[in-house]
Amino acid sequence: DALRNWIKAWNDQCKPYFNGTSDTPIFPTKLLPPLSISEDANNPSSYSALGVLISQLGYLLEVSPKYWQNNSDLCCLVRNISGVLSDAGGELIKYALIISQVPSRLICLALKEHSPDILKEAFPGSSMPIDVY
């Protein structure tokens, strides 16, 4: 149930971005304090290893244009994570990927500078053209 708590924390963190009250249009790649307790290994009662993995995946997708040679590996990892069977918690994992905006980052990774403006603002790293690096 640590992943459920991580998802709830992401949902709480996302609310200002979705309702337009956030101070910045840039979407975070990990949980920010005080919600980051779900990603703190020093707090085993609320720590979600899968949540940390998914947050790190979001970070890697943000910096991936810099390392474009490895994009196929990242996409394969997303495919494998999202392919977990439902009886093994797959639906919850898919929801965690969605709530942390992994699909949106993948869209930016594919479309680069041609991504919709709202996505370019939210995920500037993922939508950066390769030739900028």
Side-chain angles (χ1 to χ4, degrees):
D1 296 278
L3 184 58
R4 288 185 200 282
N5 292 335
W6 181 89
I7 289 170
K8 183 184 178 320
W10 260 102
N11 197 28
D12 291 345
Q13 179 168 283
C14 294
K15 285 179 185 173
Y17 294 91
F18 295 142
N19 66 22
T21 60
S22 173
D23 295 338
T24 176
I26 300 173
F27 206 86
T29 58
K30 63 181 181 179
L31 288 173
L32 303 174
L35 300 170
S36 60
I37 194 164
S38 293
E39 295 183 350
D40 183 0
N42 294 321
N43 192 347
S45 64
S46 61
Y47 176 70
S48 171
L50 277 172
V52 171
L53 175 71
I54 293 170
S55 286
Q56 287 302 311
L57 181 60
Y59 170 77
L60 289 172
L61 290 171
E62 277 297 300
V63 299
S64 63
K66 187 174 182 179
Y67 306 103
W68 60 269
Q69 301 91 337
N70 298 323
N71 284 349
S72 63
D73 293 335
L74 284 174
C75 292
C76 184
L77 179 59
V78 171
R79 184 197 69 199
N80 290 343
I81 291 172
S82 63
V84 173
L85 299 175
S86 294
D87 61 347
E91 295 304 315
L92 191 61
I93 292 170
K94 287 179 189 107
Y95 187 69
L97 289 167
I98 291 167
I99 198 71
S100 62
Q101 301 300 303
V102 168
S104 300
R105 293 179 203 279
L106 287 170
I107 290 169
C108 288
L109 186 62
L111 299 179
K112 304 277 186 234
E113 67 272 16
H114 304 293
S115 298
D117 289 340
I118 193 166
L119 291 181
K120 284 195 288 191
E121 288 177 10
F123 312 110
S126 297
S127 58
M128 184 104 22
I130 292 173
D131 60 351
V132 170
Y133 292 101

